[in-house]
Amino acid sequence: HQVSAFFAIHERHHLRAAPYLGDYMTLQRFKQINGALRTAPDQDAGLPDKFFRVRKMCEMWQQHQDRYGILPGYLNVTDESMMEFLNRTCPGWQWVDRKPQPYGNLFHTAACALTAIIFSLELFEGKDRPLWMDPPEFENLFNTNAINKTKVGGLMMRMAKPLFDTNSVIVHDSGFQSVAAMQELWKKGVFPSCLMKKKQHYARFTDGVVNENFIKHQQFLVPFCKPMQFETMPWRIIAHRDTKHLVQLLTTYGTSELIGKTRTRYHPDTNARMSFQY
């Protein structure tokens, strides 16, 4: 609802259900109060912290969500979001060319895929994070040896923290692909999946090159499921060769069983019509 709907006199029904607040104050008075509100951050105590004006606000948002927010459903997703900010002197300023709004602050978010409601939010601080602060939560689980070496493991754990011990699914794009982090989530009762793409190299422990060479010689749109094992975690690679792309999915749930309605694609060379299921 628009703010004006709370101060308008009209019939209330399920499409216009905003309660009437005009008995308590006028719309103009509400705008004056709202326009005067400011965050009141803690003092920086003389320690360098470019984010001190917003750090407490982000922390309180997460505490409020954990206590009063939604209970995420069985299907969830972690991704990145840009908050547009054109002034590059702002703390944590990023330029991410692939985003529709490439300039500003980058936030990592986790949301319930059934309701599209965010339940985890974290500002990417990058090099502007103060060196005197303790490492973020769960960072101690990773980069202690050659097996669990990953840059995104702690982040994946923090995003999925509200899902621990719920047997829920959380889906990640290729920016989060890490088998070691998937195992730590699996130990916490969360079933993750990650889209796998070749950047400089394929993700470690995935046999990405071997799978790619195998799938290239298979028929289009025929699923390929390869059982894998990483220490105590059973997982699998599910892949197929589309007419334009080669898709590989790292997952701790699901199989290559065909479900849903039949769909069609056209062969890129012969233009013959092909049928398939997801």
Side-chain angles (χ1 to χ4, degrees), residues 66-204:
D66 294 342
R67 184 171 182 179
Y68 302 108
I70 67 165
L71 295 175
Y74 78 96
L75 183 61
N76 305 274
V77 60
T78 292
D79 205 348
E80 300 171 344
S81 302
M82 291 295 295
M83 179 177 290
E84 187 175 20
F85 207 121
L86 300 181
N87 186 351
R88 64 176 61 194
T89 61
C90 81
W93 190 88
Q94 296 282 323
W95 174 55
V96 185
D97 188 44
R98 66 180 184 275
K99 299 294 184 181
Q101 297 178 345
Y103 305 103
N105 287 128
L106 179 66
F107 282 84
H108 299 290
T109 57
C112 173
L114 306 180
T115 62
I117 297 177
I118 293 174
F119 59 83
S120 289
L121 184 71
E122 181 175 308
L123 173 64
F124 179 75
E125 301 180 43
K127 296 180 180 179
D128 286 340
R129 180 176 175 83
L131 298 177
W132 56 266
M133 296 188 68
D134 294 331
E137 191 176 12
F138 301 115
E139 290 294 323
N140 62 317
L141 297 176
F142 303 98
N143 303 318
T144 59
N145 55 58
I147 300 298
N148 64 15
K149 189 175 182 180
T150 174
K151 295 181 179 180
V152 298
L155 173 64
M156 292 171 64
M157 296 291 288
R158 293 190 295 277
M159 291 291 99
K161 186 177 179 180
L163 304 176
F164 287 177
D165 301 318
T166 63
N167 292 330
S168 299
V169 166
I170 187 164
V171 181
H172 306 80
D173 69 7
S174 59
F176 297 87
Q177 51 185 334
S178 169
V179 178
M182 289 172 60
Q183 177 178 242
E184 294 299 329
L185 286 171
W186 177 76
K187 291 178 180 178
K188 293 291 187 179
V190 181
F191 292 91
S193 70
C194 299
L195 179 66
M196 182 167 68
K197 288 184 180 179
K198 184 178 182 180
K199 302 190 185 282
Q200 292 183 341
H201 307 281
Y202 276 112
R204 303 170 72 228

Side-chain angles (χ1 to χ4, degrees), residues 198-217:
K198 184 178 182 180
K199 302 190 185 282
Q200 292 183 341
H201 307 281
Y202 276 112
R204 303 170 72 228
F205 314 114
T206 60
D207 298 336
V209 176
V210 176
N211 299 336
E212 179 182 8
N213 293 333
F214 176 80
I215 299 172
K216 281 183 177 179
H217 297 88

